[in-house]
Amino acid sequence: MDSSSEPLQPESPGQEAMLTVGDQSYRIADLPEDAQKLVLAIRDCEEQITSSKRRVNYLEIARRSLIQELTSRLPDDT
């Protein structure tokens, strides 16, 4: 993970998870326990952000559909 919003994950299947900060890379398994807990917390935040974005997208689709349904039921003023 760099200091931006890159997700924490192994580079490829079977590889150990690495944490990248700036130009430095660290094997997560080699980090102190408190640092590993922080990595897990960051991963949890990333998962929740992704889930929340997905829910917002679904809600936006539902809202548009409801607006279309409402519009079709409004009386014509002609």
Side-chain angles (χ1 to χ4, degrees):
M1 173 183 92
D2 61 22
S3 57
S4 67
S5 60
E6 295 264 331
L8 298 173
Q9 56 188 324
E11 307 248 335
S12 63
Q15 249 186 344
E16 293 210 40
M18 298 295 290
L19 172 69
T20 302
V21 179
D23 295 334
Q24 298 289 318
S25 293
Y26 308 89
R27 285 183 54 223
I28 293 174
D30 293 341
L31 296 175
E33 185 177 340
D34 60 336
Q36 289 184 32
K37 287 180 182 179
L38 289 169
V39 169
L40 290 175
I42 292 168
R43 283 183 174 160
D44 184 52
C45 288
E46 290 171 344
E47 290 171 8
Q48 289 187 42
I49 289 168
T50 298
S51 178
S52 294
K53 286 179 180 179
R54 190 175 304 121
R55 278 193 298 267
V56 167
N57 286 336
Y58 294 154
L59 289 169
E60 288 175 346
I61 291 167
R63 183 177 63 83
R64 284 193 301 269
S65 295
L66 290 167
I67 290 170
Q68 287 176 346
E69 184 67 24
L70 172 61
T71 303
S72 73
R73 292 173 187 248
L74 294 175
D76 289 334
D77 284 340
T78 57

